[in-house]
Amino acid sequence: MSKKNDDAKRTARERMQAERARQKAAEKRKRALIIGGSVVAVLAVAATVGILVGTSESEKNESSWATVADQPLKLPAGTTSNVIPVGTNPNAPVLTIYEDFRCPICHQVEETLGPTMQQMADAGQIRLDFHIASFLDRNLGGNGSKYAANAAACAQDVGKFKAYHDVLYANQPDESSDRFGDKSYLLELADQVEGLRSPAFDQCVNDLSYAPWVKASQEDFNNAKVGDSEVTGTPTLAMNNQKLKYTEGNQVMSPAAFRAQIEQMIAATP
């Protein structure tokens, strides 16, 4: 009798211990689920906040640009329209250039053929008329084309447009990068142009003073034609209402071939 009772008591204790262990395990799992769920919820909220902050910042930049771009139009010094002329002879035959500072092919053309165009402009053989577009911001996102165009217009005010233009192309970021959308980087690049940096220039860049001009230049680009042919991209180069070739096969043509083409156009200038 005594052994049977002891076994019964022992069995009861074991059942109680097992039940308590089961309950503790259940409570532990419940706490883990609650904590895990809380962490997931916090991360989800953080991610949502991050998205909202990023969207808000992007919208803020666009809103800021739209606000300044709708101000009254002011032309850069030495210009009478949305064109920036470069050259020693204002009456020379005009080589028209449509560019966007984020355009990688523009960079290739400037790198290979830019010195030839500059030499001919310095010699008074041609005048370079720069039309600055900024459509790649719309295509790629960001503000780099617009901000770089504004900074270039600011440089024009002190007669440094072409020098700064060349520095921008020499330091052009990858097409998908919006580094030109960083005003501090644009100002840093301006240090490479002797005599460009000043409080007035810095304020012009930071305040986007020529945003209305940049907007008007892009609108002109949207409606631009060479002869009867619409201008559909950058770079586009033209003389005498005819588009100039700047490639041979899959490469930018040689400076010698390009010069010969221009000289032929000059000879045919009315």
Side-chain angles (χ1 to χ4, degrees):
M1 264 314 270
S2 177
K3 185 176 185 300
K4 184 177 181 180
N5 288 339
D6 288 344
D7 289 343
K9 289 179 181 178
R10 186 166 53 252
T11 301
R13 284 197 300 272
E14 289 172 351
R15 284 199 302 269
M16 291 176 64
Q17 289 171 352
E19 179 62 21
R20 283 198 294 270
R22 186 188 67 77
Q23 290 177 355
K24 286 182 179 179
E27 290 175 358
K28 185 176 181 180
R29 286 195 300 271
K30 184 177 179 181
R31 286 198 300 272
L33 288 171
I34 292 172
I35 293 171
S38 299
V39 171
V40 170
V42 169
L43 291 175
V45 170
T48 301
V49 170
I51 292 170
L52 289 174
V53 169
T55 302
S56 176
E57 187 65 25
S58 176
E59 290 176 349
K60 179 181 177 182
N61 287 340
E62 287 300 320
S63 175
S64 174
W65 174 264
T67 299
V68 291
D70 285 337
Q71 297 299 311
L73 177 64
K74 179 179 71 169
L75 298 177
T79 69
T80 57
S81 65
N82 297 317
V83 179
I84 295 183
V86 172
T88 59
N89 180 5
N91 299 315
V94 175
L95 195 166
T96 300
I97 305 170
Y98 293 91
E99 294 183 333
D100 184 310
F101 283 115
R102 290 178 74 179
C103 164
I105 302 178
C106 296
H107 169 257
Q108 294 174 28
V109 170
E110 284 293 340
E111 184 178 49
T112 305
L113 305 179
T116 297
M117 290 187 279
Q118 186 65 57
Q119 289 166 8
M120 298 182 78
D122 289 343
Q125 292 176 275
I126 58 174
R127 187 183 85 211
L128 305 176
D129 276 6
F130 286 90
H131 298 248
I132 306 301
S134 51
F135 66 93
L136 283 176
D137 286 348
R138 181 182 66 248
N139 294 358
L140 301 172
N143 295 293
S145 293
K146 297 190 291 286
Y147 284 16
N150 173 77
C154 295
Q156 172 65 17
D157 276 348
V158 289
K160 303 287 184 177
F161 165 80
K162 189 54 168 55
Y164 186 58
H165 162 281
D166 293 350
V167 167
L168 287 174
Y169 277 115
N171 294 273
Q172 186 190 65
D174 182 82
E175 184 182 14
S176 61
S177 168
D178 192 38
R179 196 171 185 197
F180 280 167
D182 180 354
K183 297 172 187 174
S184 63
Y185 181 58
L186 295 172
L187 292 174
E188 179 185 325
L189 293 179
D191 285 328
Q192 298 183 33
V193 179
E194 185 178 357
L196 179 55
R197 287 294 297 274
S198 70
F201 174 79
D202 290 6
Q203 183 176 358
C204 183
V205 171
N206 286 319
D207 291 351
L208 300 172
S209 298
Y210 283 109
W213 177 85
V214 174
K215 179 182 177 181
S217 295
Q218 176 57 39
E219 290 172 350
D220 282 354
F221 174 79
N222 292 339
N223 300 307
K225 286 186 175 184
V226 175
D228 294 328
S229 175
E230 292 184 356
V231 175
T232 57
T234 57
T236 294
L237 283 65
M239 287 188 74
N240 296 345
N241 276 324
Q242 299 179 54
K243 290 184 179 179
L244 292 175
K245 289 177 56 180
Y246 53 81
T247 59
E248 291 177 329
N250 295 324
Q251 296 181 335
V252 176
M253 70 168 47
S254 69
F258 187 69
R259 178 187 287 271
Q261 180 184 198
I262 295 175
E263 289 174 344
Q264 186 177 6
M265 286 285 188
I266 292 173
T269 300

